[in-house]
Structure formats: structure tokens, C-alpha cells
């Protein structure tokens, strides 16, 4: 039985849904590292910080406390922000914030410690490359940009957030570009990872596939 599972991939590939369902089925901890970057982004937006002011960003990070609950709720300095971290404004700002080395350094140890605290399914962009390079199983989950945008658009619509599909697609392409081209921990397929293209697979099929690999 594999104990540390790393799932990486671009925006909207279905990582969160797959990783949380897989973790629930295995009785493992689910670690959503994207939620942590989103919480830091929300914090900086609320503070009105110019993220080019790296010294200020670094100083303010001392004030940030993030908690992820077992059910996937997110708390920033004791206040629940589960919904607030998934708005189009955070979508737009998160990749530039996640490209800052101060922010990555701040979250790296927290993510690693959390993922190693017990058997876990951890998802993000640099899990198999940086956070858990020795993970027992590494998955790179992807799908075509149009399918990813459509899924994200439907998700936002279900949450009552009306937004143009084309804007969602543009945001996904921009985030992919920034995430893949940054100097710190860029998004790439980790060495030894298994590639799963979920374009034409259901969520259940992807979960089943990874579940069987974990148990092998
Ligand atoms: O997974 P999610 O789409 O919520 O992640 C939001 C953003 O956080 C990503 O677009 C990326 O910029 C950043 N991120 C990251 N490294 C991770 C997880 C997320 O840079 N491990």
C-alpha cells in the first residue's frame, strides 16, 4: 500500500475533486496546496499590497496562519475563507503571487510537514518535483485547456458565479503559462510520474485508476 501520493497538473484538470475523493476512499489526509496559495493571495489582496514590494510581502507573511480542515474548509487567521479563495479575482492574482519565492518558501515546509504527518494525497503544481520528491506514487493529471475551462466554468456557475466561458479559458491559459514558466518550482511532469489525461475520463474512472495504483 502506497502512503504518500502526489498529484500535480495544470489548472482545472480535476485534481481537487479526484484527490479529495481518493483521500476519503483511502482514509488518507487530503492536502490541497493550491488552497494555501489562494489563502495567501486573498490575504495580500485584503491588505492592498503591491506584490512587487517583496520586502513588505515577506514581512506580512509572518502574520499569515492557514488551516485546512479534514472536510476541505480553509481558514485564514481563524476566519473561514473557503468560498472567498475561489473568486475570479483570486483566480487572476494567485499565479503571480505563487511565483514569488518568499511565498513559496513560506508554504513549502508547512506543506511537506502536513503531507508527511500521516498517509496523504497531496495535490498541486510542484508536489512530485519539490514538496514530495520521494512520494510513493506520482501522478500528472491533465486534460485539454478547453475541457479544463469548461469544467471550471460549470463549477463557478454551480456556485452562483456568472462568468464568461472565454474569460475562464483565458485565465486558465494565463495561469498555465505563469505556473510553467516561473523560475521557482515550475509546473512540470515530475520524474517517475504517471501521466493521466482526463479529457475523456469521468471523475470516477480517474479515482478508480489511481486507487488501484495505490493498492498495488
Ligand atoms: O490548484 P489551484 O488551481 O487551486 O491552485 C491555484 C494556484 O496556486 C495555481 O494556479 C498556482 O499558481 C498555485 N500553486 C502552486 N503550487 C502548488 C499549488 C498551487 O504554484 N503546489
Amino acid at each position: 500500500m502506497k502512503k504518500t501520493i502526489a498529484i500535480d497538473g495544470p489548472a482545472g484538470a480535476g485534481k481537487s475533486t479526484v484527490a479529495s475523493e481518493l483521500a476519503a476512499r483511502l482514509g488518507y489526509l487530503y492536502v490541497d496546496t493550491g488552497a494555501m496559495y489562494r489563502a495567501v493571495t486573498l490575504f495580500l489582496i485584503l491588505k492592498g499590497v503591491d506584490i512587487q514590494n517583496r520586502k513588505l510581502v515577506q514581512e506580512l507573511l509572518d502574520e499569515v496562519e492557514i488551516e485546512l480542515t479534514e472536510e476541505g474548509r480553509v481558514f485564514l487567521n481563524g476566519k473561514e475563507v473557503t468560498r472567498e479563495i475561489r473568486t475570479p479575482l483570486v483566480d487572476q492574482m494567485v499565479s503571480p503571487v505563487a511565483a514569488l519565492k518568499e511565498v513559496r518558501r513560506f508554504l513549502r515546509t508547512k506543506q511537506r510537514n502536513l503531507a508527511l504527518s500521516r498517509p496523504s494525497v497531496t495535490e498541486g503544481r510542484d508536489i512530485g518535483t519539490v514538496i514530495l520528491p520521494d512520494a510513493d506514487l506520482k501522478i500528472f493529471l491533465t486534460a485539454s485547456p478547453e475541457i479544463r475551462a469548461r469544467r471550471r466554468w460549470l463549477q463557478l456557475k454551480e456556485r452562483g458565479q456568472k462568468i464568461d466561458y472565454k474569460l475562464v479559458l483565458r485565465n486558465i491559459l494565463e495561469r498555465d503559462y505563469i505556473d510553467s514558466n516561473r523560475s521557482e518550482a515550475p509546473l512540470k511532469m515530475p520524474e517517475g510520474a504517471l501521466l493521466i489525461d482526463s479529457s475523456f475520463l469521468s471523475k470516477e474512472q480517474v479515482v478508480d485508476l489511481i486507487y488501484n495504483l495505490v493498492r498495488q
Side-chain angles (χ1 to χ4, degrees):
M1 194 85 165
K2 301 180 175 76
K3 295 269 164 48
T4 44
I5 319 302
I7 305 185
D8 289 297
K15 298 186 304 294
S16 301
T17 324
V18 165
S20 64
E21 294 214 359
L22 182 69
R25 198 151 141 190
L26 289 162
Y28 284 13
L29 178 68
Y30 164 49
V31 185
D32 177 358
T33 61
M36 295 180 166
Y37 284 100
R38 287 172 178 275
V40 169
T41 304
L42 178 67
F43 174 82
L44 295 174
I45 291 172
L46 293 174
K47 286 275 177 192
V49 180
D50 171 4
I51 64 162
Q52 299 316 321
N53 187 342
R54 309 281 283 270
K55 197 164 164 280
L56 183 59
V57 170
Q58 175 68 68
E59 275 168 28
L60 285 171
L61 285 173
D62 285 341
E63 294 177 20
V64 176
E65 214 170 285
I66 298 166
E67 196 203 332
L68 306 181
T69 72
E70 297 267 325
E71 324 83 62
R73 292 164 71 195
V74 183
F75 287 80
L76 170 63
N77 293 337
K79 182 178 173 286
E80 180 161 13
V81 293
T82 312
R83 281 180 69 88
E84 288 86 340
I85 60 166
R86 312 244 170 233
T87 59
L89 178 60
V90 174
D91 274 354
Q92 202 187 313
M93 290 299 299
V94 66
S95 286
V97 169
L100 302 176
K101 77 166 184 298
E102 293 80 2
V103 173
R104 300 206 77 79
R105 205 182 310 126
F106 172 71
L107 291 178
R108 196 168 50 209
T109 316
K110 289 185 200 311
Q111 293 173 349
R112 191 172 290 148
N113 290 344
L114 196 57
L116 294 174
S117 63
R118 47 178 262 216
S120 61
V121 180
T122 305
E123 57 116 336
R125 303 293 188 289
D126 62 342
I127 310 305
T129 51
V130 175
I131 305 296
L132 302 171
D134 298 325
D136 296 330
L137 178 65
K138 296 181 190 180
I139 303 288
F140 193 79
L141 186 62
T142 189
S144 78
E146 291 74 18
I147 287 182
R148 291 188 280 122
R150 198 181 141 67
R151 286 179 187 157
R152 184 53 61 100
W153 177 77
L154 279 171
Q155 215 176 45
L156 289 168
K157 207 170 112 187
E158 271 166 26
R159 287 196 206 121
Q161 296 184 23
K162 284 208 189 93
I163 178 166
D164 190 28
Y165 163 80
K166 285 210 182 87
L167 275 180
V168 179
L169 177 61
R170 200 169 74 194
N171 171 258
I172 280 204
L173 292 173
E174 275 170 10
R175 281 208 279 148
D176 285 356
Y177 182 83
I178 301 174
D179 293 345
S180 310
N181 290 284
R182 65 186 177 214
S183 56
E184 295 286 318
L187 167 68
K188 62 176 178 200
M189 180 147 148
E191 215 171 288
L194 183 87
L195 174 74
I196 300 179
D197 185 330
S198 74
S199 296
F200 303 105
L201 294 176
S202 68
K203 176 184 71 189
E204 290 74 22
Q205 285 174 313
V206 178
V207 174
D208 280 349
L209 189 65
I210 306 178
Y211 181 79
N212 288 328
L213 290 167
V214 172
R215 295 182 60 92
Q216 262 170 28

